[in-house]
């Protein structure tokens, strides 16, 4: 019995770009000896936090006055509402995008990933302009990646 597997060029390019992104990610190289030893367990000493000292605020009493001072109306100042979450635009690295893309490839979504790359006008993840990382990460998340 003979089995033939065909892989198109777009898939090959995606795999190569993913491999290149992972190799330049700055992650430490894992040796065969480390793999055989299993995961290393790191223990941290517990950190004890100091409780801030409680300070009492002096009480201020107001004394009524006879003289009235004209008050100028100022435009209302917008105050932060309690419980409001400040929003900051998330920035992503090539490493984060590559990891998310590898999740999709592991889930069998290679064709969709290649199509997404082509929507951004690139053939490889490494060719994606940094200004588009956020939008690309959103699309990866929509496809099911955890990023």
């Amino acid at each position: 019995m003979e089995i033939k597997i065909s892989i198109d060029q777009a898939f090959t390019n995606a795999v190569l770009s993913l491999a290149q992104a992972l190799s330049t990610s700055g992650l430490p190289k894992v040796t065969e000896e480390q793999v055989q030893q299993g995961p290393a367990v790191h223990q941290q000493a517990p950190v004890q936090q100091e409780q801030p000292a409680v300070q009492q605020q002096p009480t201020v009493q107001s004394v009524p006055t006879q003289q009235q001072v004209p008050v100028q109306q100022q435009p209302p100042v917008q105050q932060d509402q309690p419980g409001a979450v400040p929003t900051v635009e998330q920035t992503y690295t090539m490493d984060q995008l590559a990891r998310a893309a590898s999740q999709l490839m592991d889930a069998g979504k290679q064709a969709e990933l290649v199509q997404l790359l082509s929507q951004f006008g690139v053939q490889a993840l490494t060719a994606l302009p940094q200004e588009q990382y956020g939008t690309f990460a959103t699309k990866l998340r929509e496809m099911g990646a955890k990023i």
Side-chain angles (χ1 to χ4, degrees), residues 25-77:
S25 68
L27 295 174
K29 302 285 184 203
V30 178
T31 64
E32 187 174 331
E33 181 180 309
Q34 289 172 325
V35 171
Q36 290 174 353
Q37 289 176 354
V41 178
H42 296 282
Q43 291 185 344
Q44 269 188 324
V47 178
Q48 190 175 25
Q49 295 181 352
E50 291 184 28
Q51 295 293 330
V54 178
Q55 296 179 356
Q56 283 188 332
Q57 296 291 329
T59 56
V60 178
Q61 294 180 345
S62 61
V63 178
T65 60
Q66 296 284 341
Q67 189 178 23
Q68 290 194 1
V69 179
V71 178
Q72 281 186 328
Q73 291 289 334
Q74 294 183 353
V77 177

Side-chain angles (χ1 to χ4, degrees), residues 10 13-14 16-18 20 94 117-118 121-129 136:
N13 288 342
L16 289 174
S17 66
L18 181 60
Q20 182 182 8
M94 176 60 67
L117 287 168
S118 66
V122 295
Q123 288 187 350
L125 185 59
T126 55
L128 185 70
F136 191 79

Side-chain angles (χ1 to χ4, degrees), residues 48-125:
Q48 190 175 25
Q49 295 181 352
E50 291 184 28
Q51 295 293 330
V54 178
Q55 296 179 356
Q56 283 188 332
Q57 296 291 329
T59 56
V60 178
Q61 294 180 345
S62 61
V63 178
T65 60
Q66 296 284 341
Q67 189 178 23
Q68 290 194 1
V69 179
V71 178
Q72 281 186 328
Q73 291 289 334
Q74 294 183 353
V77 177
Q78 200 173 32
Q79 296 180 356
D80 291 336
Q81 296 177 354
V85 178
T87 57
V88 177
E89 186 174 329
Q90 172 72 38
T91 57
Y92 297 95
T93 63
M94 176 60 67
D95 183 51
Q96 290 173 312
L97 296 177
R99 288 178 192 216
S102 68
Q103 292 173 10
L104 295 174
M105 290 180 69
D106 290 344
K109 296 186 178 183
Q110 294 89 346
E112 292 93 333
L113 185 58
V114 170
Q115 185 178 15
L116 179 62
L117 287 168
S118 66
Q119 289 176 3
F120 281 81
V122 295
Q123 288 187 350
L125 185 59

Side-chain angles (χ1 to χ4, degrees), residues 89 128-135:
E89 186 174 329
L128 185 70
Q130 193 169 2
E131 304 83 49
Q132 294 183 332
Y133 283 9
T135 308

